[in-house]
DNA sequence: GTTGAGCGTT
């Protein structure tokens, strides 16, 4: 999706990609194009969007034809407030096809010396290997904002190979912080609970029968963790089950069957019910 | 109507 309406990247043989971060979710390529085009020839403007929702992810890619123009745009637009948000402009490091990138320049097999250094740093990736969470809502300290602006000064009036250390810190920081919560969450075992329940409903037909008389069964086994809530939902569920015409339980049972991943391991554990 | 770490499409 390019601003020019073409499919895919137009020509990335010798273009310089700029990464624009911290843009508003409502900002589109059309809004960024005139802004960046003032400082040079913009070849393409692309804003990655979510596959599911289709909303902008909050960053965009601007391709310049000349490095000097791209550099100028960075100095001029980095930290600029756009649409009420302070955007951050910097050279893109990861190519669209995992191509080699020199401070924003995309080259296929022309450069080779600087490329080695990046491999050592671990910048290179085959694409799709980077684990990134799509969760937009996450607690974080806003104190990292000012630090970003600080590194911008390194680029001023310099087009040499300066400006790589800033990424190391940022990368390490985000890495350790992003992985820690994710792993812990996965270990919590929030997935086991719904799985086990699905099996219980599937393997135990008596559950459906009990639905007609939940009192005979253990009220604690109700799906509602809150007793107060269970009481409210109880009459509703009871009425539906008694009618015997409610397709709801049937559909849920069938779905659970398809979702069951390891029914055997669960079936062998009688303690699961207690 | 919202959110806010981060690196990309036919």
């Amino acid at each position: 999706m390019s601003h020019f309406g073409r499919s895919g990247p137009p020509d990335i043989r010798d273009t310089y990609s700029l990464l624009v971060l911290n843009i508003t979710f409502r900002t589109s390529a059309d809004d960024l194009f005139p802004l960046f085009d003032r400082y040079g020839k913009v070849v393409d403007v692309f804003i990655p969007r979510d596959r599911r929702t289709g909303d902008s992810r909050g960053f965009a890619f601007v391709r310049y034809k000349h490095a000097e123009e791209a550099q100028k745009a960075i100095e001029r637009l980095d930290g600029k407030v756009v649409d009420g948000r302070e955007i951050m402009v910097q050279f893109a490091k990861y190519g669209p096809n995992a191509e080699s990138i020199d401070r924003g320049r995309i080259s296929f097999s022309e450069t080779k010396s600087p490329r080695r250094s990046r491999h050592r740093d671990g910048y290179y990736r085959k694409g799709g290997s980077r684990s990134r969470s799509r969760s937009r809502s996450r607690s974080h300290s806003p104190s990292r904002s000012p630090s970003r602006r600080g590194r911008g000064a390194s680029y001023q009036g310099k087009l040499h190979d300066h400006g790589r250390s800033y990424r190391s810190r940022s990368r390490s920081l985000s890495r350790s912080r992003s992985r820690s919560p994710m792993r812990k969450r996965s270990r919590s075992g929030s997935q086991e609970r719904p799985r086990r329940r699905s099996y219980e409903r599937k393997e135990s037909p008596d559950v459906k029968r009990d639905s007609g008389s939940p009192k005979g069964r253990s009220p604690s086994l109700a799906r509602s963790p809150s007793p107060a809530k269970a009481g409210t939902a109880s009459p509703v569920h009871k009425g539906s089950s008694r009618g015997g015409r409610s397709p709801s339980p049937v559909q849920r049972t069938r779905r659970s069957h398809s979702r069951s991943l390891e029914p055997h391991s669960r079936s062998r554990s009688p303690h699961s019910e207690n």
Side-chain angles (χ1 to χ4, degrees), chain A residues 180-198:
Chain A
S180 296
M182 283 181 69
R183 285 173 61 179
K184 279 162 71 174
R185 286 297 174 199
S186 303
R187 260 320 158 195
S188 290
S190 55
Q191 294 177 348
E192 290 186 4
R193 226 185 339 208
R195 224 167 64 187
R196 182 187 68 175
R197 211 129 61 179
S198 304

Side-chain angles (χ1 to χ4, degrees), chain A residues 216-259:
Chain A
R217 204 68 167 180
S218 302
S220 324
L221 218 70
R223 278 145 340 254
S224 302
S226 303
K229 226 169 155 185
T232 310
S234 210
V236 179
H237 183 74
K238 213 161 54 176
S240 301
S241 290
R242 247 178 219 175
R245 299 182 294 267
S246 188
S248 304
V250 179
Q251 287 182 349
R252 275 194 298 196
T253 306
R254 292 183 63 173
R255 248 187 291 183
S256 302
H257 180 69
S258 300
R259 289 175 62 93

Side-chain angles (χ1 to χ4, degrees), chain A residues 24 27 31 39 41 80 85 89 114 116 119 124 147 175 181-182 198 203 210 218 222 241 243 253:
Chain A
T24 59
T27 304
D31 300 332
Y39 301 98
K41 181 68 164 89
K80 192 70 171 294
R85 213 72 169 180
V89 185
R116 286 289 173 82
H119 280 246
Y124 81 100
S147 48
R175 267 282 190 241
M182 283 181 69
S198 304
E203 279 296 322
D210 289 347
S218 302
S241 290
T253 306

